[in-house]
Amino acid sequence: MKVAIVRGKHLNQYEMQIFEPLVKDFDITAFGSLSPFHDTFSFPTVKLPSPMDLPEFPFKMPILNRLFIDAHYLYGLEQKIEGFDIAHSAETYYHYTQQALNAKKRGKVKKVVATVLENIPFNNEGIWGRASFKKRAREELDHIIALTERTKNALLLEGADEKKITVISHGIDTKRFFPNPKKNFHTKDIMLLFCGRLEKYKGVYEVIFAVKRLLADKSLRNYGFHVTIIGDGSEKNNMQEMETRLGIAKHITHKNVAYKDMPKAYQNADIYLGPSKAGAYWIEQYNTTLLEAQATGLPIVTTYSGGIPENVGNAALLVPPNDSFAIYEAIKQFALHPNLRETYAKKARERAEHVHDVSIIANKIKGVYNSLL
């Protein structure tokens, strides 16, 4: 069975790891833009031009999305996927989902599946044509893989047929991300870790404020705290200015790390922080970094936001979003109680192995594919 995984600019290793176990069962080809996030997998990649490849310029996405309805368009996709049994797209409003449906209508592909992450009902409909894109996709897709139950409920509210929705989460390669065998849960020099986009909705300022509270807490004067922040984004300069203003810059390290080196970055940490919060048009869909932290056996402090509770289950301390004090309190509990740290580390690793491992997720996707043909 020939399967085309269509992801355009967003083609990446984080998601593709769940498809790599399927190469023994299916003939898989990934389709990306000319400049995807990643392009090297255990299956071939075809790159096609896309408006998403244009250099950054002011108001790039609002302009492109209004010109194309959605800028995730891949020139020549319909011809390139001819002869495939399944085209596996993403999101109901992405333009390449419409292209895959066009190919199916012309008899070029047999079935079209889409993975949907969007978990806010009727979101992304403000641009003319988007609502029609979504409606058509809900009606014509042969199957929809919803990332979470929250995503499924959003699809149902929009009018999708429940019979063709299967909830399948992202997964993690637990052989690649694994615990540090020399981890000392009784250390008082505690390394905190945050990975992700440096944007307000990721809770980056809550991290900074929580660290300030930890360092000012007299009951923790015998503890050392340092936070490593891995990632980039529009708030980086403002964050660094705030760190200096608070007098905690020496306790915070900003860096970028290649994905191949990320397992070691997690192994060097003691506690992982995932403090996402909702924005007007976005709420956390899943957060892959939480999967990586679980697989590495890290105690996790995260928030009740979007799909996060479905991601971590009982393997993390969950606090309200937008609350730096609650994050500080949770970190303090882990610091003062090393046995609690160790307990949650074990919970995290067990959940990664038994719920999120790529072999488990790949097998669920295989079941969807086999049910269609």
Side-chain angles (χ1 to χ4, degrees), residues 82-146:
E82 184 172 2
F84 279 81
D85 296 291
I86 292 175
H88 188 158
S89 179
E91 300 294 5
T92 56
Y93 61 92
Y94 278 0
H95 212 134
Y96 55 63
T97 298
Q98 304 298 309
Q99 292 180 270
L101 291 172
N102 291 341
K104 174 188 167 186
K105 189 173 183 179
R106 295 168 188 151
K108 295 179 182 293
V109 297
K110 294 178 181 177
K111 303 288 183 178
V112 181
V113 176
T115 291
V116 175
L117 287 71
E118 179 57 68
N119 55 10
I120 300 176
F122 304 101
N123 200 21
N124 291 296
E125 294 186 0
I127 295 171
W128 180 88
R130 283 275 185 89
S132 296
F133 270 17
K134 293 176 69 176
K135 182 175 186 294
R136 181 197 182 193
R138 290 194 302 270
E139 292 173 353
E140 296 184 21
L141 284 168
D142 296 285
H143 207 80
I144 299 173
I145 294 175

Side-chain angles (χ1 to χ4, degrees), residues 62-331:
I63 292 171
L64 291 179
N65 282 333
R66 279 158 180 80
L67 286 173
F68 291 91
I69 302 178
D70 176 75
H72 290 277
Y73 182 89
L74 292 171
Y75 290 92
L77 178 67
E78 291 95 328
Q79 290 72 39
K80 291 292 184 179
I81 61 175
E82 184 172 2
F84 279 81
D85 296 291
I86 292 175
H88 188 158
S89 179
E91 300 294 5
T92 56
Y93 61 92
Y94 278 0
H95 212 134
Y96 55 63
T97 298
Q98 304 298 309
Q99 292 180 270
L101 291 172
N102 291 341
K104 174 188 167 186
K105 189 173 183 179
R106 295 168 188 151
K108 295 179 182 293
V109 297
K110 294 178 181 177
K111 303 288 183 178
V112 181
V113 176
T115 291
V116 175
L117 287 71
E118 179 57 68
N119 55 10
I120 300 176
F122 304 101
N123 200 21
N124 291 296
E125 294 186 0
I127 295 171
W128 180 88
R130 283 275 185 89
S132 296
F133 270 17
K134 293 176 69 176
K135 182 175 186 294
R136 181 197 182 193
R138 290 194 302 270
E139 292 173 353
E140 296 184 21
L141 284 168
D142 296 285
H143 207 80
I144 299 173
I145 294 175
L147 185 64
T148 62
E149 289 291 341
R150 187 185 183 98
T151 296
K152 178 181 177 180
N153 288 332
L155 285 164
L156 293 176
L157 281 171
E158 291 179 349
D161 182 355
E162 185 172 13
K163 292 191 294 295
K164 64 178 184 182
I165 300 174
T166 301
V167 176
I168 303 176
S169 69
H170 285 328
I172 189 69
D173 185 346
T174 59
K175 292 182 175 63
R176 189 163 177 270
F177 289 86
F178 57 89
N180 181 349
K182 298 180 180 180
K183 179 64 65 184
N184 177 13
F185 292 100
H186 292 267
T187 182
K188 291 188 177 182
D189 292 318
I190 296 174
M191 178 65 73
L192 307 172
L193 178 64
F194 168 89
C195 305
R197 296 185 298 277
L198 304 188
E199 307 294 344
K200 289 181 180 179
Y201 57 80
K202 284 293 187 175
V204 292
Y205 288 100
E206 283 68 34
V207 170
I208 295 171
F209 299 151
V211 171
K212 175 63 176 179
R213 289 180 183 273
L214 290 166
L215 295 170
D217 189 329
K218 293 181 180 178
S219 69
L220 296 171
R221 60 183 177 272
N222 293 326
Y223 290 76
F225 293 95
H226 194 95
V227 58
T228 297
I229 296 176
I230 298 175
D232 213 336
S234 65
E235 291 297 319
K236 184 173 183 177
N237 291 338
N238 292 333
M239 288 172 64
Q240 291 177 316
E241 289 177 7
M242 179 60 72
E243 291 156 18
T244 299
R245 183 178 177 184
L246 293 173
I248 61 173
K250 67 180 182 181
H251 296 275
I252 300 177
T253 299
H254 285 266
K255 62 168 66 174
N256 290 312
V257 177
Y259 188 62
K260 66 182 179 62
D261 298 321
M262 284 303 297
K264 185 175 180 180
Y266 284 97
Q267 288 183 339
N268 289 336
D270 296 298
I271 299 171
Y272 187 75
L273 308 179
S276 296
K277 58 185 180 181
Y281 304 104
W282 180 89
I283 189 169
E284 189 67 70
Q285 293 167 339
Y286 208 63
N287 196 327
T288 302
T289 69
L290 290 172
L291 298 181
E292 295 166 351
Q294 286 172 69
T296 316
L298 286 180
I300 298 169
V301 176
T302 187
T303 54
Y304 291 102
S305 187
I308 289 177
E310 292 183 56
N311 183 325
V312 299
N314 69 346
L317 292 183
L318 287 144
V319 302
N322 204 30
D323 190 342
S324 64
F325 187 82
I327 294 168
Y328 144 74
E329 285 283 5
I331 297 170

